[in-house]
Amino acid sequence: MKYLKFLLLVPLLMLTTACLTTSTPEVSMGQTRFQNPEVNSKPFNVKVNISTASRSVVVLSDLQSDLLSRREQADNDDCPSCYEPTAVTNENNVEGDLRIEGSVSAGKGFEVTVSGVDSNKVSLKYQFYGAHEDQSDTGNISQAIAIGYESFEDSNSHITWKTETKTYDIAYIIGKRLSKQTIAYGGPFLQIADAQGDGHLNYRIQPDYLFSYGVDGHMLGANLAIEQRFNYGFGWGIEGIITKSIWGNDEHIGGGLHLRFGYQF
């Protein structure tokens, strides 16, 4: 009798291993800012920082509905579990990560920053008001603008979908130096993104449904941060942020709290 039960389980095990599931494709934009408006007046002043990072994630509801409808069509087949998106409802959320960045001053108020790990980003900042970082003192009010470009690639664990996102952003930053070592700053920012992706649903062993997708999005947000620089170049900072990201008909209001530690050469 035990052998009979085992033999009856074999076809079921073969069926479940042959049928693969997929999660609904997601799109996202980065939420981490940490852009101090004060720039060193001397060229080639280098800073290296590591910080926590977060991304505002949105599930594409139109594409999700299409995948679910195809699952319903498959319910009449002999393998009803083959179409089974794991996201049966929108699961918009915030994902955490780390970011490593390096910045170098270029003189005349300009600074270039390159960051990676969570995504690949390059930005250019220009301080147009207030004393520069190495000349600043308590009470100094500084203002700057920053533009940036980010490239981000995302996929699920089974690589049944992959999304490539290109994001452009612009920010206005204002800050006040609370002491010789401490500055508070923040401001609004806008990000405009284009996401392109492709994927497939598996029916038994062979791919049954290939799909591609493209969507434009944008994010409005604002941040408030405090940074403190100690002796010997070490420093740290904390940042609070709130965002609203919109992708087609889908939107997500998010936020985050980030920490940063760094060294200025």
Side-chain angles (χ1 to χ4, degrees):
M1 190 64 178
K2 293 181 179 179
Y3 293 107
L4 179 59
K5 291 181 179 180
F6 175 77
L7 291 174
L8 290 174
L9 284 174
V10 171
L12 180 60
L13 291 173
M14 292 177 63
L15 183 62
T16 55
T17 54
C19 299
L20 301 180
T21 60
T22 181
S23 60
T24 304
E26 303 168 343
V27 288
S28 66
M29 280 184 274
Q31 296 188 138
T32 310
R33 306 304 299 179
F34 278 124
Q35 292 179 308
N36 187 331
E38 291 187 355
V39 177
N40 200 289
S41 63
K42 302 174 183 178
F44 307 113
N45 179 264
V46 177
K47 301 174 186 175
V48 178
N49 296 287
I50 182 171
S51 64
T52 59
S54 63
R55 301 188 67 83
S56 174
V57 180
V58 171
V59 175
L60 299 176
S61 62
D62 290 342
L63 182 57
Q64 183 181 67
S65 298
D66 181 46
L67 298 181
L68 289 172
S69 68
R70 291 179 178 274
R71 177 230 173 173
E72 292 172 358
Q73 295 171 13
D75 283 343
N76 296 324
D77 297 331
D78 59 351
C79 186
S81 63
C82 289
Y83 290 101
E84 188 66 44
T86 57
V88 294
T89 58
N90 278 9
E91 295 179 350
N92 303 334
N93 55 46
V94 174
E95 293 182 350
D97 209 332
L98 289 176
R99 183 174 75 170
I100 298 176
E101 67 176 29
S103 60
V104 57
S105 60
K108 299 186 181 299
F110 287 95
E111 183 179 76
V112 178
T113 301
V114 177
S115 62
V117 181
D118 64 321
S119 63
N120 297 313
K121 183 175 182 179
V122 58
S123 61
L124 176 66
K125 180 171 60 181
Y126 173 64
Q127 181 184 350
F128 61 87
Y129 182 86
H132 290 289
E133 181 185 48
D134 52 319
Q135 304 163 349
S136 179
D137 207 341
T138 303
N140 180 58
I141 302 294
S142 54
Q143 299 181 66
I145 56 172
I147 56 175
Y149 168 77
E150 178 190 72
S151 175
F152 179 72
E153 184 175 297
D154 192 20
S155 62
N156 68 340
S157 58
H158 299 293
I159 318 184
T160 51
W161 59 264
K162 182 174 70 174
T163 305
E164 295 182 2
T165 306
K166 298 178 180 179
T167 304
Y168 305 87
D169 75 60
I170 183 170
Y172 164 74
I173 317 156
I174 183 170
K176 180 177 181 179
R177 186 155 287 280
L178 305 179
S179 69
K180 188 69 175 177
Q181 291 80 27
T182 308
I183 183 172
Y185 62 87
F189 64 90
L190 168 66
Q191 294 186 159
I192 300 174
D194 173 67
Q196 301 291 329
D198 54 65
H200 69 270
L201 288 174
N202 277 358
Y203 182 69
R204 296 190 185 279
I205 300 298
Q206 301 299 323
D208 184 72
Y209 175 45
L210 302 177
F211 59 90
S212 60
Y213 49 95
V215 60
D216 296 329
H218 68 272
M219 174 189 285
L220 295 171
N223 76 315
L224 178 63
I226 295 179
E227 284 188 22
Q228 188 173 32
R229 184 70 60 180
F230 302 108
N231 294 330
Y232 309 108
F234 291 100
W236 77 287
I238 185 170
E239 170 188 68
I241 191 166
I242 184 170
T243 63
K244 180 179 182 179
S245 54
I246 300 175
W247 295 89
N249 298 322
D250 303 296
E251 65 178 58
H252 179 228
I253 296 178
L257 188 66
H258 306 131
L259 290 172
R260 179 165 83 165
F261 300 91
Y263 183 80
Q264 181 173 353
F265 292 88

